[in-house]
Amino acid sequence: MIDGVGLGECAGARAGEGAVEQLRRVGAYGVLRDSEGRVLLARGSAKCPYPGVWQLPGGGVEHAEHPADTVVREFAEETGLTVAPGAIRAAVADVAPYADLGIALHTDRLIFDMEARGGRLRPEPAGGTDEVGWFTPEETAALPLMPFTAELLGLPVTPLPADLPRALPAEPAGPAVDRRQRFAAYGLVTDPAGRVLLTMIADGYPGAGRWHLPGGGTDHGEQPAAGLLRELVEEAGQLGRVVDLIAVDNLHNPAALGPEGRPLDWHGVRVVYRVRVDAPTDAVVTELAGGSTARAAWFAPDQVTGLSMTDVAARATGQRVT
């Protein structure tokens, strides 16, 4: 997302000048297969950043929109099909340079398994896809693919040609409000004894005083799982390993009050991993003073009940959301 403003996948360019500007967006995509095991792909039209390139159907997450709702909407627009999202399959990130605009665009991509419910297959009318179709693995391997699509389908990843025409997604017209969208990665972190690691949110941040899952916002150019493991060291002094991706969480607060000291229309997109710390140590906050974490601690399963927790921490640990 470009500083919290919702973007569609395909639109015109925006200008940029001066030093390289680091922009971000979040996208949601789906893997849908037919009864013969073929995968559904969509080809970008001339209105897309990557015309003529095939990818999994999907697109940009709009402000306040849950990524699962994004992929349903994008499937309907791009393919004409009605679908239902299943489990989240992967969370990956990539950075595309726009040297002529002085911009580096980081995209966090969430990929869901999908189930078809109806509709008739067709490309997007006068929109971002000019062709859609079902492809076998052999047929897919012969197509020009977006790198994230090739990776998700287990195919060799080939960089896109440097001279391929491309355009940035444009910012849609909207109200002049201070909107922010943030992508973050969190962990349900456990040790061999079954204890759960939680962190307390510091004063001055939304949710101050509540126990939270370790993790936080990822850096520009950083993969979600790598960002989580970095945060685990900073917030609790622990070395962990990611076991699997278990959930995607969505939080919209139109009047969040944080360190900025003014209300913000805040939208958080959060992935949750299962993480194991094989050699736990005392939990110690190591990030610099002034961070969002006040303290960290290990809790036995029977100690978790009754803690004042954030909603995402409560759901991940199986507690009642209050």
Side-chain angles (χ1 to χ4, degrees):
M1 276 297 177
I2 296 182
D3 199 21
V5 180
L7 298 176
E9 179 73 17
C10 305
R14 70 176 256 178
E17 59 183 7
V20 174
E21 184 180 3
Q22 296 182 344
L23 304 181
R24 297 191 65 162
R25 68 191 300 273
V26 181
Y29 308 83
V31 178
L32 178 64
R33 297 186 184 276
D34 66 6
S35 59
E36 300 176 22
R38 299 178 300 177
V39 68
L40 181 64
L41 298 176
R43 187 176 70 180
S45 72
K47 297 182 178 181
C48 271
Y50 302 98
V53 179
W54 294 83
Q55 68 171 27
L56 297 171
V61 177
E62 296 181 354
H63 189 77
E65 184 178 46
H66 193 293
D69 296 330
T70 300
V71 74
V72 171
R73 172 179 56 78
E74 289 283 348
F75 259 78
E77 294 173 359
E78 294 183 351
T79 73
L81 298 183
T82 302
V83 295
I88 184 167
R89 170 181 286 217
V92 297
D94 52 67
V95 177
Y98 292 78
D100 56 331
L101 300 177
I103 288 172
L105 177 62
H106 172 121
T107 304
D108 293 293
R109 304 183 191 270
L110 306 174
I111 295 88
F112 295 82
D113 288 321
M114 308 301 294
E115 179 183 339
R117 294 291 177 85
R120 181 176 61 85
L121 188 64
R122 51 98 181 124
E124 187 173 2
T129 62
D130 58 13
E131 187 174 344
V132 291
W134 300 99
F135 296 91
T136 66
E138 295 75 19
E139 292 169 337
T140 303
L143 297 174
L145 296 172
M146 285 292 291
F148 85 94
T149 295
E151 180 181 0
L152 263 294
L153 297 178
L155 297 171
V157 177
T158 303
L160 297 174
D163 59 351
L164 182 70
R166 65 175 81 178
L168 276 174
E171 296 181 6
V177 296
D178 196 350
R179 285 180 169 178
R180 300 290 175 88
Q181 187 181 65
R182 179 173 182 255
F183 181 86
Y186 292 92
L188 176 58
V189 181
T190 59
D191 70 358
R195 296 184 302 171
V196 177
L197 181 67
L198 297 174
T199 58
M200 180 175 285
I201 300 174
D203 291 341
Y205 289 84
R210 291 193 174 193
W211 290 100
H212 195 29
L213 297 178
T218 59
D219 292 338
H220 193 277
E222 189 173 48
Q223 293 292 337
L228 167 58
L229 296 182
R230 171 183 54 76
E231 290 279 351
L232 184 59
V233 172
E234 294 175 357
E235 295 183 343
Q238 307 297 309
L239 296 177
R241 58 182 174 88
V242 171
V243 177
D244 57 8
L245 177 61
I246 58 177
V248 57
D249 185 75
N250 189 70
L251 174 66
H252 178 224
N253 185 344
L257 187 63
E260 296 86 355
R262 65 184 188 279
L264 298 173
D265 187 352
W266 184 267
H267 178 209
V269 177
R270 308 176 291 192
V271 289
V272 182
Y273 292 89
R274 194 183 313 276
V275 177
R276 182 69 172 253
V277 173
D278 295 312
T281 60
D282 290 340
V284 177
V285 180
T286 65
E287 64 183 346
L288 297 176
S292 61
T293 303
R295 53 183 292 217
W298 289 101
F299 293 91
D302 60 352
Q303 296 175 317
V304 174
T305 302
L307 292 177
S308 175
M309 290 190 287
T310 62
D311 56 347
V312 65
R315 283 193 292 268
T317 58
Q319 304 301 305
R320 184 170 62 90
V321 178
T322 59

